[in-house]
Amino acid sequence: MSNEIAPSVMVADMVSASGSWDWTRLSPLLPPEILDQIATVQPLQDWLGSDTQGWRCTDTRQFTTNSAYSFLIDMDSTAPGPIWKRVWALPIPQRVKTFLQVTLHNQNLNNVERFQHHLASSTLCDICRFNMEDMNHILQHCVAARGLWVRVIHPDLLSDFMQAPLDDWMQHNIVISTTGSIHGV
């Protein structure tokens, strides 16, 4: 094995047609510890766009103090709303309240998000290995979550309960938890 890689070798040459690393080409070139590190990184995919840093709150992805101020005002305007007051009033552990806040802001790192940031090799759920792991799947549709809901939700309400959009579903369940009332889904 050579200590130097020919300069003509490009990263794209080391990616298979399926979009995964081409281990038959990489293995002879690199030591096992480097290959292990490479295995933790998803190769760039053309459909994901270029891998660049940027501020998500502007179309140009350039940070401005105005965009940061607007972002903070928007965040702050949602925080004092009734749903947030209800979340913080729930008699549950602080870590669960924090999870609910992060989830309602759609800021959880699930496999779909991790894959987009090259932190996971697949978008598939680690439990069922069948569907993409987004928050809707994690909380409502994964076999593990479904198994729980089937045991605790009345069968007459289960279908509506499972088909509600995630935001509506979460807000409805937070309202139920704070008022004790079960009306609709």
Side-chain angles (χ1 to χ4, degrees):
M1 177 171 26
S2 168
N3 286 341
E4 292 183 25
I5 299 174
S8 61
V9 174
M10 302 295 288
V11 171
D13 296 333
M14 298 298 146
V15 178
S16 70
S18 66
S20 59
W21 291 114
D22 187 343
W23 297 110
T24 57
R25 296 185 85 187
L26 280 168
S27 297
L29 298 173
L30 299 167
E33 58 273 8
I34 300 297
L35 293 171
D36 289 343
Q37 290 178 355
I38 290 172
T40 65
V41 178
Q42 176 67 25
L44 292 177
Q45 305 292 324
D46 290 337
W47 62 271
L48 289 173
S50 61
D51 186 20
T52 60
Q53 292 181 339
W55 176 243
R56 67 182 171 146
C57 298
T58 62
D59 293 336
T60 62
R61 299 185 47 83
Q62 296 296 315
F63 176 83
T64 65
T65 53
N66 188 35
S67 66
Y69 179 77
S70 296
F71 173 74
L72 292 172
I73 292 299
D74 287 345
M75 267 184 50
D76 193 42
S77 68
T78 59
I83 197 67
W84 297 107
K85 289 179 183 176
R86 290 177 190 260
V87 166
W88 296 112
L90 289 170
I92 56 177
Q94 182 68 32
R95 68 180 183 270
V96 177
K97 292 177 187 179
T98 302
F99 171 79
L100 289 173
Q101 176 184 0
V102 169
T103 302
L104 286 167
H105 274 297
N106 198 25
Q107 295 177 332
N108 291 85
L109 271 181
N110 50 61
N111 278 351
V112 169
E113 293 289 323
R114 283 190 203 82
F115 183 80
Q116 289 175 348
H117 296 286
H118 309 292
L119 300 173
S121 59
S122 171
T123 61
L124 293 180
C125 172
D126 292 329
I127 294 172
C128 71
R129 305 295 295 158
F130 183 69
N131 292 312
M132 288 193 330
E133 184 192 84
D134 58 10
M135 286 314 295
N136 190 294
H137 178 76
I138 292 169
L139 296 176
Q140 287 178 284
H141 301 292
C142 183
V143 293
R146 246 182 210 280
L148 170 72
W149 299 130
V150 166
R151 289 192 295 268
V152 299
I153 303 296
H154 191 278
D156 294 342
L157 301 173
L158 188 61
S159 179
D160 289 339
F161 181 84
M162 297 305 290
Q163 293 176 9
L166 184 61
D167 288 341
D168 296 343
W169 181 82
M170 287 189 61
Q171 291 186 29
H172 172 74
N173 286 292
I174 291 166
V175 169
I176 288 173
S177 298
T178 56
T179 64
S181 171
I182 301 178
H183 294 101
V185 174

